[in-house]
Amino acid sequence: MSRFQRSEKAMPSKGHDLTGAVLPAASAAFHDPHCQQGRTAITHLFEWRWDDIADECERFLGPYGYCGVQISPPSENAVVTNPRRPWWERYQPVSYKLVTRSGDENALRDMITRCNKVGVRIYADVVINHMTGAGGSGTGTGGTHWDGGRLSYPGVPYGPNDFNDGSNCHSGDGSIHDYTNPEEVRNCRLVNLADLAMGHDYVRGKVVDFLNHLIDLGVAGFRVDAAKHMWPGDLLAVMGRLKNLRSDMFGSGSRPFVCQEVIDQGGEAVKAEEYLQSGRVTNFKFGLELGRVFRRENPMKYLVNWGTGWGMWGGSDVVNFLYNHDNERGHGGGGGPLTFREARAMKLATAFMLAHPYGFPRVMSSYDFTSSDQGPPHTGNDETAHVQLNPDFTCGGGWVCEHRWREIYDMVAFRNVAGTAPLSNWWSGADYQIAFGRGDKAFLALNLEDFPLRATLQTGLPQGSYCDVISGNLEQGRCTGNTVQVGGDGRAHFDVCSSCDDPMVAIHVGAKIGSPPLRTG
């Protein structure tokens, strides 16, 4: 019988009931990003084509030590023509076919395989809370017809019985209006998007099949869009039914990494900690608070107890970021985060994020835009344009590529070298001058005052000559930028500018003169 001919509605389980869920052996089951040894940070290559990501894994991300890439949603989506092909059409699924403007399933499979071969993991952004807007109709990026008014999505297939309705959403018009009401947030439509009934076993099964197909292709895990709009028990039930990751890529018994988008900046009715059994959560507090500090609205010296001391979750429970594709456009919370448009402060904040041991960091890689709806750089027929590369490693053609900024990729290396070494040798001078180390591996000094930071500080590092990786690199046994001398007692003199573009100094044992090169390409 067709899904659209059923006369009886499947009985949903209670959203917060864990009945039927396969509970993980420990709450950390979905928290491991499965980075290759020595890699500790990921980037979000927003709206990149699959073939460009494959090339980027081989030529840059692998050699420069990135753990992985969050990709844009790979499932077929609505083609939106007003406004013309906006970025957010990727967040209006039509089916779970793997055809988007980033490429088809063959291109996706090739990208995942090539990236894994060079030690770069792929995390798929998955939209499972909803389908398109509950109105209108059209043809998706893979040629599938859909009708939001009739709640008809034959490409899955989903029909009217597979969506939340007035039986559990009591807002009147079916949409969310009261964010202080958890039931409304989870049972009603987010901006009129057709809200899937994740408590129904049939819907769960279709979502599980979709995610398992991506696992078969070789992804390491998922970023779950709009997770706060689903019940924690429903998400745990779905994740509990997923396959283990491919053993040829990740070893036996590896569970998928799950990063759940839960916007919780304090005072929310839906709490991020409710979701920690089914994965990590996106830490929106992180970028909000660092933005205040590096805009000089809150003294930098207060970062001494950064992390849980600022009311955030445990480091193994979060994915940290300064900004994402939503809030850099003024959407999805964040209170106006630091972005590439405030490059000086953003680079300093990113350096702090990558140097500090708290949490798991994600670096945003953007394209430029003049309106909040604008889609990626494209050709005349609306095909996503290839990323253009400049000789200095930066990008052109409208692509910003923050992950390729030298101050950022060299701080990824800093973090990789620091590894699990603890925070050490904290120092603060004026309100906006700090320095700290990571055991005997690395040391960073930051200055946002209107005068230079000049101080002799304990670094904890072995004696030797170190290249400042902010001003240059270690190449052919010498520093292309500034050099810092660390004495036999671990102390070094720092002179950190105040008016320059990069008022910081970073050193680590991987950039010590006489040490072997870090990169493999």
Side-chain angles (χ1 to χ4, degrees):
M1 179 180 288
S2 165
R3 286 288 297 163
F4 311 120
Q5 295 176 324
R6 290 181 298 132
S7 59
E8 296 180 359
K9 179 174 290 187
M11 292 300 292
S13 66
K14 293 181 179 180
H16 52 275
D17 185 358
L18 301 187
T19 302
V22 180
L23 296 176
S27 62
F30 307 106
H31 292 219
D32 182 358
H34 306 290
C35 296
Q36 256 197 3
Q37 186 173 5
R39 298 177 186 237
T40 58
I42 65 174
T43 185
H44 180 190
L45 299 185
F46 182 54
E47 283 280 15
W48 280 45
R49 296 167 53 112
W50 305 149
D51 51 359
D52 280 349
I53 294 177
D55 290 342
E56 188 72 349
C57 285
E58 293 169 345
R59 71 192 169 206
F60 190 85
L61 298 174
Y64 284 84
Y66 280 89
C67 160
V69 178
Q70 178 183 312
I71 63 172
S72 290
S75 53
E76 181 184 15
N77 59 264
V79 176
V80 177
T81 57
N82 185 23
R84 187 69 183 173
R85 306 304 302 273
W87 65 269
W88 44 261
E89 75 170 38
R90 298 288 291 262
Y91 292 86
Q92 296 204 19
V94 167
S95 78
Y96 298 137
K97 298 175 184 176
L98 301 177
V99 184
T100 68
R101 61 185 171 202
S102 289
D104 61 14
E105 181 169 343
N106 288 332
L108 178 66
R109 179 187 294 107
D110 180 67
M111 177 263 288
I112 295 170
T113 300
R114 288 169 60 187
C115 289
N116 272 312
K117 282 183 177 178
V118 294
V120 181
R121 305 311 192 189
I122 298 297
Y123 312 96
D125 194 352
V126 291
V127 186
I128 58 175
N129 171 68
H130 57 262
M131 300 300 280
T132 67
S137 61
T139 302
T141 48
T144 303
H145 182 73
W146 58 276
D147 189 332
R150 295 177 56 239
L151 296 178
S152 172
Y153 300 91
V156 180
Y158 286 141
N161 290 334
D162 301 314
F163 294 88
N164 287 324
D165 56 23
S167 66
N168 56 6
C169 171
H170 309 296
S171 68
D173 64 358
S175 290
I176 302 168
H177 299 284
D178 182 5
Y179 274 81
T180 68
N181 182 342
E183 290 197 1
E184 188 169 314
V185 170
R186 288 157 167 161
N187 292 337
C188 300
R189 294 171 179 169
L190 171 66
V191 292
N192 199 41
L193 295 165
D195 195 60
L196 285 166
M198 196 63 71
H200 293 191
D201 190 64
Y202 176 84
V203 174
R204 288 181 181 178
K206 288 299 181 182
V207 170
V208 168
D209 289 346
F210 166 49
L211 301 184
N212 276 338
H213 184 36
L214 291 169
I215 288 173
D216 287 341
L217 295 182
V219 301
F222 310 100
R223 181 259 186 191
V224 181
D225 182 68
K228 75 180 287 181
H229 297 284
M230 293 174 274
W231 289 96
D234 290 339
L235 279 172
L236 184 58
V238 167
M239 300 310 164
R241 289 169 60 179
L242 295 184
K243 297 178 179 181
N244 289 338
L245 298 179
R246 283 178 51 170
S247 59
D248 59 330
M249 295 178 176
F250 303 97
S252 61
S254 295
R255 300 299 286 146
F257 175 67
V258 179
C259 166
Q260 301 161 106
E261 185 198 22
V262 182
I263 302 174
D264 179 1
Q265 295 172 159
E268 306 275 353
V270 174
K271 303 296 185 185
E273 53 266 28
E274 298 177 60
Y275 293 83
L276 294 181
Q277 273 197 293
S278 50
R280 296 190 187 222
V281 293
T282 50
N283 187 359
F284 280 81
K285 292 181 183 179
F286 188 95
L288 178 66
E289 296 295 349
L290 279 192
R292 291 170 177 161
V293 169
F294 286 91
R295 285 189 177 118
R296 291 176 52 95
E297 298 168 2
N298 195 17
M300 191 157 49
K301 66 183 181 182
Y302 293 160
L303 294 171
V304 61
N305 64 340
W306 180 246
T308 55
W310 284 56
M312 293 185 279
W313 303 271
S316 62
D317 292 329
V318 293
V319 173
N320 294 327
F321 55 97
L322 290 182
Y323 56 104
N324 69 3
H325 66 282
D326 268 323
N327 63 19
E328 74 174 345
R329 290 165 172 78
H331 306 299
L338 278 176
T339 75
F340 66 90
R341 299 192 189 282
E342 298 174 78
R344 186 174 188 262
M346 185 276 280
K347 287 185 289 184
L348 281 149
T350 302
F352 177 85
M353 174 178 75
L354 293 169
H356 199 280
Y358 170 68
F360 185 60
R362 182 182 68 202
V363 173
M364 183 64 194
S365 193
S366 314
Y367 60 81
D368 202 1
F369 55 91
T370 56
S371 75
S372 63
D373 293 323
Q374 185 176 325
H378 58 272
T379 62
N381 60 357
D382 286 328
E383 288 187 3
T384 299
H386 287 288
V387 176
Q388 296 181 19
L389 301 180
N390 299 322
D392 64 353
F393 281 11
T394 60
C395 295
W399 299 96
V400 179
C401 297
E402 298 96 313
H403 72 285
R404 279 176 159 261
W405 293 8
R406 181 177 46 74
E407 300 90 341
I408 292 177
Y409 69 72
D410 272 343
M411 286 306 297
V412 168
F414 179 109
R415 185 178 189 85
N416 291 344
V417 169
T420 59
L423 187 73
S424 59
N425 295 306
W426 177 273
W427 173 89
S428 60
D431 281 353
Y432 293 96
Q433 293 180 338
I434 64 169
F436 61 91
R438 296 289 303 280
D440 60 355
K441 301 294 185 183
F443 193 83
L444 173 71
L446 302 169
N447 181 28
L448 264 181
E449 291 288 0
D450 295 328
F451 50 87
L453 185 166
R454 294 192 176 106
T456 299
L457 304 175
Q458 176 56 249
T459 69
L461 300 184
Q463 182 175 6
S465 298
Y466 292 79
C467 300
D468 167 30
V469 298
I470 300 300
S471 60
N473 293 306
L474 174 62
E475 295 182 7
Q476 298 181 339
R478 58 186 298 273
C479 299
T480 61
N482 298 325
T483 303
V484 176
Q485 301 292 337
V486 175
D489 60 356
R491 295 169 64 83
H493 182 75
F494 291 86
D495 192 338
V496 186
C497 57
S498 58
S499 60
C500 59
D501 287 341
D502 298 320
M504 51 183 165
V505 171
I507 58 177
H508 58 75
V509 295
K512 179 174 178 280
I513 293 178
S515 63
L518 288 176
R519 302 184 184 95
T520 59

